[in-house]
Amino acid sequence: MPSPWTFLIALHAIAAGYALIFGAVNLLRLNKGSAAHKILGRIWAVAMYIVVLTSFGIRTIDGGFNWLHALSVLTFCTLTLGLVAVRRGNIRAHQRFMTGSYFGLVGAFIGVVAVPDRRLPQMAIHDLAGLTLWVGALALTAGLTVAGLSQLRRKADVARVDG
């Protein structure tokens, strides 16, 4: 059984959940470069930085730093390079760095759920109601955020037509 949840581990897991959701939404959006894409991208980037930075405080697997922390360093670099690229107008590099960062996150998530001794698989076995509540809360709040951004877009479209 893994060590108990701490604030740092909970923050890491929540940010990772949001990063998985918002990253997928932004990658699947057809309207790249829109205001909604930029806002979702900023939310995703903040969530990713929280995931990366909190990972350095989590050393419960073997008590020290390991290869997972090396992946966090890599992700910090690719995420930052993606943000620098878009600021410089290099959209192609931005797309590559951000897509790579997102799929790295997906790979890390698969790694987490594939190891039976990790927290999420243990929750699925011993606290399915808690896991369901956690996933539901993430999905609901992320969905409300996306819906809110859609409303902003509709209002902007109406204002453009009326103005």
Side-chain angles (χ1 to χ4, degrees):
M1 186 79 164
S3 61
W5 286 88
T6 64
F7 174 77
L8 190 64
I9 292 170
L11 179 61
H12 180 80
I14 290 166
Y18 281 130
L20 282 167
I21 294 167
F22 288 122
V25 169
N26 235 9
L27 282 176
L28 295 173
R29 288 180 55 80
L30 298 177
N31 196 3
K32 304 285 197 268
S34 67
H37 175 83
K38 291 174 184 177
I39 292 169
L40 284 173
R42 288 180 180 123
I43 294 169
W44 176 78
V46 167
M48 286 293 289
Y49 277 121
I50 291 170
V51 170
V52 166
L53 295 174
T54 57
S55 75
F56 295 114
I58 300 170
R59 294 187 293 274
T60 57
I61 295 172
D62 61 9
F65 291 105
N66 59 33
W67 63 273
L68 293 170
H69 295 98
L71 292 178
S72 290
V73 171
L74 176 65
T75 301
F76 184 89
C77 293
T78 59
L79 187 58
T80 302
L81 288 170
L83 293 173
V84 169
V86 78
R87 298 293 284 169
R88 292 183 176 168
N90 188 345
I91 303 304
R92 186 87 169 127
H94 169 73
Q95 290 171 330
R96 288 180 178 163
F97 282 122
M98 295 313 199
T99 302
S101 295
Y102 179 75
F103 283 109
L105 175 68
V106 170
F109 176 72
I110 291 169
V112 164
V113 297
V115 178
D117 290 340
R118 301 293 297 262
R119 281 175 185 78
L120 290 180
Q122 285 297 310
M123 277 187 82
I125 296 167
H126 300 290
D127 187 14
L128 188 56
L131 180 61
T132 303
L133 181 63
W134 180 75
V135 170
L138 282 175
L140 176 65
T141 55
L144 289 172
T145 301
V146 172
L149 289 173
S150 297
Q151 289 296 322
L152 287 176
R153 181 174 169 227
R154 284 189 199 109
K155 286 181 182 180
D157 290 345
V158 168
R160 226 183 346 255
V161 170
D162 291 342

